[in-house]
Structures are given as structure tokens and as C-alpha cells.
């Protein structure tokens, strides 16, 4: 290794050689894609088929002299883009956060001298010096270690610092690659030295490091479109094709009828405008933005608008273990002492062996612990926290039992010992790995005294150790020895010890997670654990939470290396836990799940989670324990780090999708009503019942308020008892007939108003012709006014039909007050337009009398009457 890198273990590189390598390899920093400019982000918002259709309609309207129409449509496009850009203005900070992870200074040897340099100047071959509290500047092959421990949880998912050993060599390496967490002779960029010291040769810097590979994965991640985006794109294509088809058909019909070319062109444009719900994209964006504000109250921050709806489609939640499903803090859960094997809460302080066990683990300890402040090794902090549960305080204990000597922890011995004063005598307090401790034991504390240890005692100790290990607990043993004075040779401290007890600890699951996973199961959502931690630990947590029940549902990273995506795809439905995985593995798992048509949410908090967070349909980062890298790559952030908040967010997402669907079905059925009215009038050779400004007014103003109110409709309490909808399910699934039927009802009611209005005017003037050439302008305006009023009012009434497929409109009528206000507001506006002379001139409408308004009111109730009849039959079908 040293020869290959042209370095020296004692002197490092020369200054001149380091300069050459800096030119050759470049600075030790991360490089990524240029962030999107404001113009690019705006273009991303308008790069949609439906938006292009709207822009086309605006251009044509402007070219035909309908400037007001063109301006209104353009404003809709601008509003939609603005909502999207503002919500996503925080943009992509993942790579910038990664750059901040690199340590600003590094200690290296150059020309045999120890010097401190900016980390960007570290080059392959540099000899880097490590000590406690220092971040590692690049990937290192360790050449010297002394009790070196490195915190790698952000990179590998391990809950506790990893012991490093420069002399470590693995016996075998499966598939030619050792998991990062098992590479004991390596140290990686941006991880933290927590204990000991060491030195290593730089083997990878910048983008070649493991962190650099993660940065590359972030750049390569495919963000994809959410189900709603795909559905809206599909709607846009259909509307665009439909608008062009309607224009062409009506143009041909008009020519066959012998109408003037220009008149038919304008009529065709009116039909095209009627076919397109101009306000739809803005309404969808606003409803999503309102959903974002609601989710903030649920401790969820949405970074990207479409993620709100995508949450409702999720059928698989892939979750990191450490810090997401677990508390990310080691906790003592079990103990064994004086023949008692039980949970920690069963420990009795009035039992001398039990009390001595806690005192041993707290006195033989270099950490410090207060509820608001913890420092030191996580394992030792856990031991102090266990004592605190029994009102034992380390400072108080040390005042009573002063430490007078110690034998520090050593990675070879895997033991630590202290010598403490005890009632005029001295006790050696030893703790450590039971395999190393038990051979040093000759006695045992039990039955209130000290007895010679027997083979039965040793067997019991090892049986309980295995039992705890099988449950993925990390086991520590404790032993003591009473000595007459403080003058004891260090090499005699750990001899002829008396065994006291064992403790087992683990990073435990969050208390609320098991219930949340049960809710997910009920909602048809599968939870999959993906972690860098060990297989046994991962399975133990997964089993406790109800994620997995058999070890056959677990796959390790080394197995993932040896199988293709196709083979993984055939097995992945039976797998619930992936252990000892790398960031690349996480991306592979998420990609395979998505390729099978699943909508995947990935949760995590570490740097190693960032690429898969970005690859998932919905990336969820932890707000408190999460790294900036994870937050930057995610679509949403949990401000309380609570897995349960994801479940609440999914529920909110499902309700938001339902409400958006209601709004879109409402808009499309209303637009179809306009098309039916125009199409039939042209087909029968009648005058056009609606002017372009009438259609635009209804589409942008009359329809928009009810559509927005439907988008904010109350939650469905049963939404989480249903299975997730298929990612391939159309927005119109089971609703095409609904749209067509109610569109026909609205269209026919509008035409009926037009004909009645013409007939009523004919009764006043003495004639009732139907051919366009025979009307007077006043007769046409009167009929168009009645058609315009019925179109507006019938659509306002129809909005209430969308709230439920079976419940009557009159059940819970006022539960959506916004919708009631929209109805009243729409009616008042429409009356003002028709009754106030200046407004009437702008809209080319005619004042209506009492009899006119009565007919308009009755015809406008047609959609409600039809809906109530249909719902009666549906309720009868459900009860049968």
C-alpha cells in the first residue's frame, strides 16, 4: 500500500510531491452539478402539457382580438408557476451540506514534520494524524492505532463508535467487497474520532472518497414524477387532443352547414376554451400549498409541493433503523446478578449484588451524564443513564468512592478497571466483554455474600450472555476485587476478580413506532427496514416492531452484491429487512421497488441515507437528528423525528388526493357541460348559447371557488382503513361515466335555459324562430343571459354533489363552510353581473325578470336532483 502510494509511514510525503499530487488529483473537496437558476426553476414549473395548452389558448385568444381572455389565462399560468417556485425556493442544498461536512483543518506529516493544513490540501499518500474530537479529512488506510474509536453512524448507521485496528485483516471477503462498517482498518472522510489516537495513509480524497460517491449518487438520483403529476400530464394530453379534435369537428360541421369561415373559427375557439379548465393547475397548486400549511401543524415540513399528494399513494415505507425507528441512544434494558435475570426496572437496590453492579458500571466510567448534558462514549453514557433511573449520580458516587488509580480501556483486553476507595478499603472495579472478563474471575457475588465460582455458575453466566446476544443486546460484564490499600500493581488489578453481574443494552425502538407500523399494515402499507447495522441487531428491532417475523426475511449487503436487479426483484416482496448495506445498496433497493410499480417513501437521517432519500418517490428526513445532507435530499422533513408523523402525513396526503380528485372531477364535468351546450347548439344549427367571455368567467371565477373549497374538504375518518391506490390508477378510475353524465345534465340544462329564454322573448315579440339568421340581437342576448346564469348556478350547486358518493348533500351540509360561502359568493357575483348595467355591458348580458330568475333557479337544481336520486339507489345497493 505504502509503496503503491509512494509514501512513508514515518515521514509522510515531501512538500514538493504533495504539490504535484494536488495538481494531479485536485483539491480534497466535493464537486457537484450547478444548482438550478431561477429561470430554470420557473421553466420546470411551466414544462407541462396542460400549461402549454393554456399558453396556446392565450396566444390564439390574443391573436383573435380577445385580449382580456389572453391576459386572464396568462395570469393563471404565472400564478401556478409562482406557487411552485416559492414553495421550492430553498432548492437543492444536499451537495452544499456535504461540502460543509469536510473538516476545515487536517494534521499531516510533510517532510517528516507534523503540520496542520487546510483539509482541501490533503492528497493521496499523505500521512494523516488522528486524535479524539477530530473529524477525518479523507478516506484513510490506518497504519497505527491506539484504542482508536470512530463514530460512523451518519455513514453506516451503526449506533455506537467502531473500534479501529490498523493490524486487522479479514479472513474472507464475500463477493470481493467488505461492508464499510466491517472495514476495521479503514477510516472514512467526515466521520469523527471519539476516543484514542491513530494515523493513516490517505487513499481517496474529494469525489473519490465514500462521501464523494454519495455526492455522485445524489447527482445521479432520478427524481421522477409523482402519481398526480403523471395523472395531470395525462389529463393535459387528453384535453389538448380533445380541444384540437373539437375545433376540427365543429369547423367541418360549420362548413357543411354553409356558415361563414370566420364565424366558425371563432366558435371553434370558444369550444376549445370550454374544453380546457383554465383554473385547474392553479387550483391544484393552491390546494397542495394549503396542505403544506396543514402538515406543518403535524410536525411535517414539505420541501416540494407534489410530495404532499405522493404521500397518499405510498404503499412501501423504507426506513433507516438508527435514529428513525430507534432512539439513536444506547439504553440498558436487561441485567443478570445474584441469580436474577430480568428487565432493568426489576433491579433492587437493597440487594447488595444489584447495587454493586450499578456502582461498578458508574464508577468504572469516563463519561458524564445529566438530563440536559451528556458527554463521552455512548455505551458509558447508557450505563450512567441506567444508574440515574435509580437516583444514582456519578458525581455523588465519586465523592463517596474516590478514584485513586485506573487501567484504561484497551481494544486488545476489551476491559477497563478503576481503583476506588470503599469504606476504608479499596475496590477494583472492572467492566468489559464477558469473554475476556470471565477467565479472570475466581469468585462470584450471590446469596448476599461472595462464593467461589463453580462451573454451573460459569455456564449460567454464558447462557444468559447468549440469550441477551440472541436478542441483539450488547453485553457487558462487571467484576470487583477488594484490596487492603491503594498500592497495587497495575498488572495485578485484573486478577482473581469476583463476578457481580451482566447488563445488556441496545438502541431501543421509539415507543410510538410499533403502533404506527400496525396502522401502516391496516392501511396496506408495507414497512421495510434498511440499515447499515448488523443482521442480528436489525432483525431483533424489526421483530419487536412487527416488521419481520423470520430471519428468512433478512438480506445482507454482501448478498446484494452478488445478485442482479432482476433476481432482487423476484425476491424483494418476501424481504422486510436489509442489513449491513451501503448507500449504493439503499439506492438499488429503492430503485427495484419503484420499478415494480410501488410508490416508495424512504426515511433516514444520515449522510448514507441521502442518495436513497432522493431516489425515492417521497424522501423523509429527520429534523432534529438528521444531517443537513439528508434534509437537503428529502422531499419532507419531520420536525419531531417521530415515525408516527409519517403515518399522519400519509393520512393527510390521502385526504388531499381525494379532495384534489373531487376538485378536478368537478371542473371537468362542468367543462363538459359547456362543451355539450355549445356542441349541440352548433350541431342543430342554432346560435351559440354562450359567449367566450361567459365561458372564461365560469371557468376562472365561478368554478374556482367551489373547486378550492372541495380541495379543502373535511377529512375522511376511514381513509387509513383502505388499501393504497395503484400507481397506475387513472384519476378518472370509476368516474368517467360520472363526468359524462353530470356534464350532460349541466349542458342540457344550459341549452334548455337558452331555448326557454328565446321562447319567452318570442312570446313578448310575437315570433320564435330557431335559425340563427332569424333572431334579433336582443332575443339572442336574453337567451344567452339565461343560459349563462343556469350554467353558473348549476355548477355551483353541482359542487355539493362531489362531497360524497352516497351521502345526501343535506347530511353535513355546513361541515364545509367554505363551500357554502363559495355558493353564496358565486350567486351574488352572477346576480351583480346581470343586474348592474356597466357589468352587464361588459359581459353582453340582458336584465332578467322575476319569471326568468324562477326558471333559472329551477333548471340550476337539475344536477342536485339527479345526484340525490342516484345516491338513494346507491344506498339501497349497499344495504342490500
Amino acid at each position: 500500500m505504502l509503496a503503491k502510494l509512494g509514501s512513508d509511514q514515518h515521514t509522510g510525503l515531501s512538500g514538493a510531491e504533495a504539490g504535484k499530487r494536488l495538481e494531479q488529483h485536485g483539491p480534497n473537496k466535493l464537486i457537484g452539478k450547478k444548482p438550478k437558476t431561477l429561470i430554470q426553476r420557473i421553466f420546470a414549473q411551466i414544462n407541462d402539457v396542460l400549461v402549454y395548452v393554456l399558453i396556446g389558448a392565450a396566444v390564439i385568444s390574443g391573436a383573435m382580438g380577445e385580449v382580456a381572455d389572453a391576459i386572464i389565462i396568462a395570469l393563471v399560468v404565472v400564478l401556478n408557476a409562482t406557487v411552485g417556485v416559492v414553495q421550492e425556493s430553498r432548492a437543492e442544498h444536499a451537495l452544499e451540506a456535504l461540502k460543509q461536512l469536510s473538516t476545515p483543518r487536517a494534521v499531516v506529516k510533510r517532510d517528516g514534520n507534523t503540520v496542520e493544513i487546510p483539509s482541501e490540501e490533503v492528497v493521496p499518500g499523505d500521512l494523516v494524524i488522528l486524535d479524539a474530537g477530530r473529524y477525518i479529512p479523507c478516506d484513510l488506510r490506518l497504519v497505527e492505532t491506539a484504542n482508536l474509536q470512530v463514530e460512523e453512524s451518519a455513514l453506516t448507521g451503526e449506533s455506537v463508535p467502531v473500534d479501529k485496528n490498523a493490524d486487522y485483516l479479514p479472513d474472507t471477503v464475500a463477493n470481493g467487497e467488505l461492508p464499510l462498517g466491517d472495514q476495521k482498518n479503514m477510516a472514512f472522510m467526515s466521520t469523527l474520532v471519539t476516543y484514542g489516537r491513530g494515523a493513516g495513509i490517505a487513499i481517496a480524497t474529494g469525489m473519490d472518497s465514500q462521501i464523494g460517491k454519495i455526492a455522485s449518487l445524489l447527482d445521479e438520483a432520478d427524481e421522477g414524477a409523482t402519481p398526480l403529476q403523471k395523472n395531470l400530464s395525462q389529463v393535459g394530453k387528453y384535453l389538448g387532443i380533445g380541444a384540437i379534435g373539437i375545433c376540427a369537428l365543429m369547423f367541418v360541421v360549420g362548413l357543411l352547414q354553409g356558415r361563414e369561415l370566420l364565424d366558425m373559427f371563432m366558435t371553434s375557439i370558444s369550444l376549445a376554451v370550454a374544453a380546457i379548465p383554465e383554473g385547474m393547475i392553479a387550483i391544484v397548486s393552491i390546494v397542495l400549498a394549503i396542505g403544506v400549511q396543514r402538515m406543518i401543524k403535524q410536525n411535517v415540513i414539505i420541501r416540494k409541493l407534489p410530495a404532499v399528494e405522493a404521500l397518499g399513494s405510498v404503499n412501501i415505507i423504507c426506513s433507516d433503523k438508527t435514529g428513525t425507528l430507534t432512539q439513536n441512544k444506547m439504553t440498558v434494558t436487561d441485567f443478570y446478578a445474584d441469580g436474577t435475570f430480568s428487565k432493568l426496572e426489576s433491579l433492587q437496590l437493597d440487594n447488595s449484588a444489584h447495587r454493586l453492579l450499578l456502582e461498578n458500571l458508574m464508577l468504572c466510567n469516563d463519561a458524564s451524564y445529566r438530563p440536559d448534558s451528556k458527554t463521552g462514549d455512548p455505551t458509558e453514557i447508557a450505563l450512567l443513564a441506567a444508574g440515574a433511573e435509580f437516583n444514582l449520580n456519578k458525581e455523588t458516587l465519586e465523592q463517596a468512592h474516590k478514584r485513586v488509580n485506573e487501567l484504561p480501556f484497551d481494544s486488545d483486553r476489551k476491559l477497563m478497571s478503576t481503583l476506588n476507595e470503599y469504606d476504608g478499603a479499596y475496590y477494583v472495579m472492572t467492566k468489559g466483554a464477558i469473554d475476556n472478563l470471565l477467565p479472570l474471575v475466581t469468585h462470584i457475588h450471590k446469596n448476599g455474600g461472595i462464593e467461589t465460582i463453580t462451573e454451573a455458575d460459569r455456564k449460567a453466566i454464558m447462557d444468559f450472555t447468549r440469550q441477551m446476544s440472541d436478542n441483539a443486546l450488547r453485553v457487558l460484564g462487571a467484576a470487583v476485587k477488594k484490596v487492603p490499600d491503594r498500592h497495587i500493581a497495575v498488572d495485578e488489578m485484573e486478577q482473581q476478580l469476583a463476578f457481580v453481574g451482566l447488563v445488556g443494552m441496545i438502541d431501543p425502538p421509539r415507543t410510538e413506532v410499533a403502533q404506527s407500523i400496525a396502522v401502516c399494515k391496516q392501511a396496506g402499507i408495507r414497512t421495510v427496514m434498511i440499515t447499515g447495522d448488523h443482521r442480528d441487531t436489525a432483525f431483533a428491532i424489526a421483530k419487536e416492531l412487527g416488521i419481520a417475523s423470520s430471519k428468512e426475511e433478512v438480506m445482507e449487503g454482501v448478498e446484494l452484491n452478488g445478485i442482479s436487479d432482476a433476481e432482487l426483484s423476484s425476491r424483494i416482496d418476501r424481504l422486510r429487512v436489509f442489513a449491513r448495506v451501503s448507500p449504493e445498496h439503499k439506492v438499488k433497493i429503492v430503485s427495484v421497488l419503484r420499478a415494480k410499480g410501488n410508490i416508495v417513501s424512504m426515511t433516514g437521517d444520515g449522510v448514507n441515507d441521502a442518495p436513497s432519500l432522493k431516489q425515492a418517490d417521497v424522501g423523509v428526513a429527520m429534523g432534529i437528528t438528521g444531517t443537513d445532507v439528508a434534509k437537503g435530499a428529502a422531499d419532507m422533513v419531520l420536525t419531531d423525528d417521530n415515525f408516527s408523523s409519517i403515518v399522519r402525513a400519509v393520512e393527510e396526503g390521502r385526504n388531499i388526493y381525494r379532495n384534489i380528485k373531487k376538485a378536478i372531477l368537478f371542473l371537468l364535468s362542468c367543462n363538459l357541460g359547456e362543451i355539450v351546450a355549445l356542441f349541440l347548439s352548433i350541431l342543430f344549427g342554432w346560435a351559440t348559447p354562450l359567449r367566450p367571455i361567459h365561458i372564461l368567467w365560469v371557468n376562472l371565477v365561478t368554478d374556482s371557488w367551489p373547486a378550492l373549497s372541495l380541495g379543502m374538504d373535511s377529512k375522511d375518518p376511514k381513509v387509513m382503513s383502505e388499501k393504497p391506490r395503484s400507481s397506475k390508477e387513472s384519476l378518472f378510475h370509476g368516474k368517467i361515466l360520472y363526468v359524462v353524465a353530470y356534464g350532460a345534465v349541466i349542458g342540457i340544462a344550459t341549452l334548455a335555459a337558452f331555448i326557454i329564454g328565446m321562447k319567452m322573448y318570442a312570446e313578448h315579440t310575437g315570433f320564435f324562430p330557431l335559425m340563427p339568421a332569424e333572431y334579433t340581437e336582443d332575443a339572442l342576448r336574453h337567451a344567452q343571459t339565461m343560459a349563462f346564469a343556469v350554467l353558473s348556478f348549476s355548477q355551483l350547486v353541482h359542487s355539493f354533489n362531489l362531497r360524497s358518493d352516497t351521502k345526501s348533500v343535506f347530511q353535513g351540509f355546513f361541515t364545509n363552510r367554505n363551500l357554502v360561502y363559495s355558493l353564496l359568493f358565486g350567486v351574488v357575483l352572477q346576480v351583480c353581473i346581470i343586474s348592474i348595467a356597466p357589468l352587464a355591458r361588459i359581459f353582453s348580458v340582458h336584465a332578467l325578470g322575476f319569471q326568468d330568475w324562477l326558471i333559472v333557479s329551477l333548471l340550476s337544481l337539475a344536477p342536485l336532483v339527479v345526484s340525490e336520486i342516484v345516491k338513494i339507489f346507491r344506498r339501497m345497493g349497499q344495504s342490500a
Side-chain angles (χ1 to χ4, degrees):
M1 173 67 74
L2 290 169
K4 184 178 179 181
L5 290 169
S7 184
D8 186 276
Q9 183 172 341
H10 304 291
T11 61
L13 297 175
S14 67
E17 179 62 25
K20 289 179 186 176
R21 296 189 183 190
L22 187 60
E23 289 183 15
Q24 179 184 352
H25 296 280
N28 178 34
K29 63 181 183 180
L30 304 179
I31 302 167
K33 293 188 295 188
K34 290 177 66 176
K36 288 181 180 178
T37 64
L38 179 62
I39 298 298
Q40 288 172 322
R41 296 206 299 275
I42 292 172
F43 179 74
Q45 294 297 322
I46 64 173
N47 185 23
D48 182 88
V49 174
L50 188 55
V51 178
Y52 290 148
V53 171
L54 285 179
I55 292 171
V59 170
I60 294 171
S61 297
M64 299 308 299
E66 301 289 343
V67 178
D69 294 0
I71 291 173
I72 292 171
I73 296 173
L75 287 174
V76 171
V77 173
V78 171
L79 174 63
N80 176 70
T82 302
V83 171
V85 170
V86 167
Q87 184 61 33
E88 297 178 16
S89 60
R90 294 177 65 195
E92 297 294 327
H93 293 308
L95 207 53
E96 286 70 18
L98 273 169
K99 292 175 184 176
Q100 296 303 315
L101 280 177
S102 54
T103 178
R105 309 289 292 179
V107 177
V108 299
K109 275 199 173 183
R110 295 272 175 90
D111 299 311
N113 299 315
T114 301
V115 294
E116 189 174 50
I117 62 172
S119 64
E120 291 185 0
E121 296 179 10
V122 175
V123 297
D126 259 326
L127 179 62
V128 180
I129 310 300
L130 305 175
D131 53 22
R134 190 177 293 277
Y135 278 96
I136 295 168
C138 60
D139 289 358
L140 305 174
R141 170 58 167 91
L142 297 171
V143 294
E144 179 186 332
T145 53
N147 302 322
L148 183 66
Q149 294 183 348
V150 179
E151 168 64 64
E152 296 181 335
S153 62
L155 186 63
T156 66
E158 289 222 38
S159 307
V160 295
V162 178
D163 291 323
K164 295 295 183 178
N165 185 350
D167 299 325
Y168 171 79
L169 290 174
D171 297 328
T172 57
V173 180
N175 297 313
E177 187 174 337
L178 196 66
L180 293 182
D182 292 334
Q183 297 181 24
K184 303 294 178 65
N185 55 11
M186 295 287 297
F188 301 104
M189 183 178 185
S190 299
T191 56
L192 176 68
V193 178
T194 60
Y195 192 83
R197 56 183 178 81
I201 299 294
I203 61 168
T205 60
M207 295 300 289
D208 295 326
S209 66
Q210 293 297 327
I211 288 288
K213 290 177 182 177
I214 291 176
S216 300
L217 288 171
L218 282 171
D219 280 345
E220 295 164 7
D222 172 25
E223 295 187 35
T226 69
L228 181 63
Q229 287 175 315
K230 293 173 184 175
N231 272 317
L232 289 178
S233 178
Q234 188 182 49
V235 170
K237 289 174 185 175
Y238 290 159
L239 289 175
I241 294 168
I244 294 169
I246 290 167
C247 285
L249 178 62
M250 287 300 95
F251 198 73
V252 171
V253 169
L255 290 177
L256 292 174
Q257 290 176 341
R259 298 196 183 197
E260 289 187 16
L261 191 67
L262 184 60
D263 286 345
M264 279 314 303
F265 185 73
M266 287 304 298
T267 304
S268 298
I269 292 300
S270 295
L271 265 173
V273 172
I276 302 166
E278 287 85 357
M280 186 172 77
I281 55 170
I283 286 167
V284 169
S285 293
I286 292 168
V287 169
L288 289 174
I290 291 169
V292 166
Q293 297 307 309
R294 284 215 300 255
M295 283 192 172
I296 289 174
K297 297 176 182 177
Q298 303 282 355
N299 299 308
V300 175
I301 296 174
I302 300 292
R303 296 186 63 249
K304 299 172 186 176
L305 272 181
V308 179
E309 171 276 329
L311 274 167
S313 314
V314 165
N315 65 323
I316 295 179
I317 297 177
C318 294
S319 179
D320 177 47
K321 177 185 72 68
T322 306
T324 307
L325 297 173
T326 65
Q327 299 174 22
N328 198 20
K329 62 176 183 179
M330 294 300 289
T331 304
V332 177
T333 58
D334 295 48
F335 82 100
Y336 169 69
D338 195 10
T340 301
F341 177 61
S342 186
K343 294 296 179 183
L344 183 66
E345 51 266 29
S346 300
L347 185 143
Q348 301 293 325
L349 284 184
D350 54 4
N351 180 298
S352 60
H354 291 192
R355 186 180 189 91
L356 186 58
L357 173 63
L358 281 183
E359 291 182 354
N360 173 293
L361 298 173
M362 296 182 75
L363 290 169
C364 185
N365 195 312
D366 288 332
S368 65
Y369 175 85
R370 287 181 184 151
D372 58 343
S373 174
K374 310 171 186 68
T375 60
D377 180 82
T379 300
E380 294 197 323
I381 291 173
L383 299 176
L384 297 182
E389 289 185 30
F390 295 88
N391 297 317
L392 294 181
N393 179 276
K394 183 187 178 185
E395 292 180 3
T396 305
L397 281 175
E398 286 189 330
Q399 288 173 3
H401 309 295
K402 184 179 178 183
R403 183 189 297 190
V404 295
N405 201 353
E406 65 183 282
L407 187 57
F409 174 83
D410 182 278
S411 56
D412 292 328
R413 290 171 25 252
K414 294 185 178 178
L415 298 172
M416 173 183 176
S417 295
T418 61
L419 184 63
N420 298 81
E421 293 181 357
Y422 247 88
D423 301 326
Y426 293 87
Y427 273 54
V428 174
M429 299 287 193
T430 301
K431 77 171 192 305
I434 193 63
D435 289 341
N436 295 52
L437 180 66
L438 201 54
L440 307 176
V441 167
T442 56
H443 294 76
I444 184 171
H445 281 259
K446 68 177 185 179
N447 301 324
I450 301 176
E451 301 178 8
T452 302
I453 195 167
T454 65
E455 285 305 313
D457 292 328
R458 293 182 186 274
K459 183 178 182 303
I461 292 168
M462 292 310 299
D463 286 345
F464 288 125
T465 298
R466 277 190 289 273
Q467 192 170 331
M468 285 193 272
S469 297
D470 289 344
N471 290 323
L473 299 183
R474 185 178 187 185
V475 183
L476 282 180
V480 301
K481 178 170 68 172
K482 186 176 181 180
V483 294
D485 58 55
R486 60 190 299 174
H487 303 294
I488 179 174
V490 170
D491 58 359
E492 294 179 5
M493 287 178 67
E494 295 174 353
Q495 293 180 11
Q496 297 182 330
L497 300 173
F499 178 81
V500 179
L502 303 169
V503 289
M505 64 185 73
I506 196 170
D507 178 13
R510 292 176 178 270
T511 53
E512 69 285 344
V513 168
Q515 183 180 355
S516 298
I517 288 172
V519 172
C520 286
K521 283 183 179 178
Q522 182 184 354
I525 300 170
R526 174 158 47 112
T527 305
V528 176
M529 179 192 291
I530 305 179
T531 178
D533 216 336
H534 294 278
R535 182 189 190 108
D536 290 343
T537 305
F539 175 69
I541 296 293
K543 186 177 181 181
E544 186 174 347
L545 292 174
I547 294 174
S549 57
S550 165
K551 289 191 175 182
E552 294 176 357
E553 297 173 304
V554 183
M555 177 180 279
E556 287 191 278
V558 290
E559 296 177 68
L560 279 169
N561 288 332
I563 61 174
S564 64
D565 285 1
E567 188 178 348
L568 177 60
S569 180
S570 68
R571 297 173 58 186
I572 203 163
D573 290 337
R574 300 187 299 274
L575 298 171
R576 296 293 182 272
V577 178
F578 293 89
R580 226 61 185 140
V581 295
S582 67
E584 292 89 346
H585 292 146
K586 293 186 180 187
V587 172
K588 180 177 181 178
I589 293 162
V590 171
S591 299
V592 168
L593 286 170
R594 289 183 69 194
K596 296 195 75 173
N598 297 297
I599 303 299
V600 182
S601 170
M602 174 71 194
T603 72
D605 60 354
V607 175
N608 59 326
D609 299 317
S612 51
L613 287 174
K614 196 169 183 183
Q615 181 69 27
D617 293 286
V618 183
V620 184
M622 302 294 114
I624 299 173
T625 59
T627 61
D628 287 342
V629 183
K631 294 174 192 174
D635 300 295
M636 57 180 271
V637 178
L638 305 182
T639 58
D640 61 351
D641 282 15
N642 192 330
F643 185 87
S644 300
S645 295
I646 301 172
V647 182
R648 292 195 295 271
V650 168
E651 181 180 5
E652 190 75 46
R654 287 188 176 188
N655 279 302
I656 286 171
Y657 177 80
R658 280 188 166 210
N659 291 342
I660 286 175
K661 186 174 181 178
K662 291 177 191 176
I664 291 175
L665 292 175
F666 166 71
L667 291 171
L668 292 179
S669 57
C670 291
N671 279 62
L672 187 61
E674 297 162 14
I675 293 170
V676 167
L678 289 169
F679 182 82
L680 291 178
S681 66
I682 294 169
L683 195 64
F684 294 142
W686 302 342
T688 305
L690 298 163
R691 295 175 181 268
I693 194 170
H694 297 164
I695 296 168
L696 204 58
W697 172 262
V698 170
N699 286 358
L700 288 176
V701 180
T702 307
D703 288 353
S704 295
W705 294 109
L708 271 175
S709 300
L710 284 170
M712 294 182 286
D713 206 1
S714 54
K715 295 180 181 180
D716 182 349
K718 298 180 180 178
V719 74
M720 287 302 281
S721 62
E722 299 173 2
K723 301 300 180 187
R725 69 183 188 277
S726 168
S727 60
K728 297 176 183 177
E729 181 181 300
S730 166
L731 197 62
F732 307 108
H733 178 71
K735 293 292 183 181
I736 293 178
L737 183 60
Y738 181 96
V739 172
V740 172
Y742 285 99
V745 171
I746 292 169
I748 291 169
T750 302
L751 265 184
F754 179 70
I755 293 169
I756 293 170
M758 191 70 77
K759 181 171 175 58
M760 290 174 68
Y761 198 89
E763 288 173 352
H764 295 311
T765 59
F767 68 94
F768 179 45
L770 285 179
M771 295 306 292
E774 299 178 27
Y775 315 137
T776 65
E777 182 61 30
D778 282 345
L780 181 60
R781 284 180 64 193
H782 180 265
Q784 285 180 335
T785 302
M786 289 189 68
F788 181 30
V790 168
L791 181 68
S792 295
F793 291 162
S794 63
Q795 293 184 3
L796 289 169
V797 169
H798 176 51
S799 64
F800 287 85
N801 296 333
L802 273 295
R803 294 197 65 201
S804 172
D805 290 335
T806 55
K807 284 184 181 179
S808 169
V809 163
F810 304 104
Q811 282 184 267
F813 183 81
F814 292 102
T815 53
N816 188 338
R817 296 195 178 190
N818 290 324
L819 194 56
V820 177
Y821 296 149
S822 297
L823 171 67
L824 297 174
F825 181 62
V827 168
V828 170
L829 277 180
Q830 196 68 29
V831 171
C832 288
I833 287 170
I834 294 171
S835 303
I836 298 173
L839 293 175
R841 282 194 294 273
I842 293 172
F843 283 87
S844 300
V845 291
H846 194 287
L848 299 179
F850 176 78
Q851 189 179 2
D852 297 331
W853 283 116
L854 184 61
I855 292 169
V856 165
S857 300
L858 290 172
L859 286 173
S860 298
L861 292 174
L864 178 63
V865 173
V866 171
S867 176
E868 287 300 300
I869 293 170
V870 170
K871 287 178 180 179
I872 288 171
F873 282 106
R874 280 183 175 166
R875 289 196 293 272
M876 289 171 61
Q878 284 182 347
S879 59

